[in-house]
Amino acid sequence: MKIGVLALQGDFAEHIHMLKRLGAEGVEVRLPEHLDGLQGLIIPGGESTTIGKLSTAYGLMEPLRAFAADHAVWGTCAGAIFLSRDARRAQPLLKLMDITVQRNAFGAQVDSFEADLDIPELAKATHSTHPYHAVFIRAPIIESVSGEARVLSSLPDGRIVAAQEGHLLATSFHPELTDDARFHEYFLSLIP
């Protein structure tokens, strides 16, 4: 399996490492032609405004939208913001998922935290029973889902931190910063 990781900015190398652990080939994507021959794409964490501006500068916005029409795409943290229809501020967005996202919802870098999440869909797909330990760094929250989008996981206080819309996936946290490959495995399961 050949999976692209948008490598304009952010923690793309960690996603590539995780994909290799699962036996998939991870490919850095920086230009539209790098999407050719890929079966899926991960948009990593980083800074969503920068990712959007660089995607615009490199002519990637429309090719990314076209790719997402037929392929699985997963946005983590800033990538989730970039996939959203609404980030409550003016910035370049792909507007692919019917989710509204609030940037830096948990506060500054010093407010980063970790939490164990119950994610039934992940447990079912990976045949596991233990909670998923998630790392949140200047993380967004998914304020709302609509249309075909659905909630995959929330914190105990009800704030949404993972959503899915068909073959599109968004997580507020950073699965690539853990040793747990289950979320990457789940993403790969969305690829026909």
Side-chain angles (χ1 to χ4, degrees), residues 100-115:
T100 298
V101 177
Q102 179 187 350
R103 296 166 34 112
N104 301 327
F106 298 100
Q109 187 87 14
V110 297
D111 299 310
S112 299
F113 66 99
E114 299 180 18

Side-chain angles (χ1 to χ4, degrees), residues 14-15 17-19 21-22 74 115-117 119 122-123 126-135 173-187:
E14 291 84 352
H15 280 289
H17 174 72
M18 192 69 82
L19 290 168
R21 275 185 52 196
L22 293 171
W74 174 22
D116 288 332
L117 301 175
I119 309 173
L122 180 69
T126 61
H127 309 292
S128 62
T129 56
H130 56 284
Y132 186 85
H133 191 75
V135 176
F173 47 90
H174 289 267
E176 75 283 3
L177 298 181
T178 73
D179 288 329
D180 190 338
R182 286 181 294 159
F183 235 104
H184 286 78
E185 185 181 341
Y186 180 67
F187 173 67

Side-chain angles (χ1 to χ4, degrees), residues 18-112:
M18 192 69 82
L19 290 168
K20 286 180 183 174
R21 275 185 52 196
L22 293 171
E25 180 183 357
V27 177
E28 294 180 9
V29 173
R30 291 187 175 89
L31 298 169
E33 56 267 25
H34 296 163
L35 294 167
D36 295 343
L38 299 179
Q39 294 168 284
L41 179 72
I42 298 172
I43 303 172
E47 209 294 310
S48 63
T49 304
T50 301
I51 292 169
K53 287 180 178 178
L54 290 172
S55 293
T56 300
Y58 289 115
L60 275 162
M61 295 297 280
E62 287 311 314
L64 288 170
R65 288 181 183 118
F67 183 86
D70 300 317
H71 298 86
V73 178
W74 174 22
T76 63
C77 198
I81 297 167
F82 191 46
L83 283 177
S84 73
R85 288 210 189 276
D86 185 2
R88 300 238 183 256
R89 60 177 284 185
Q91 71 178 79
L93 299 172
L94 290 175
K95 299 185 179 211
L96 293 170
M97 287 186 73
D98 280 327
I99 59 175
T100 298
V101 177
Q102 179 187 350
R103 296 166 34 112
N104 301 327
F106 298 100
Q109 187 87 14
V110 297
D111 299 310
S112 299

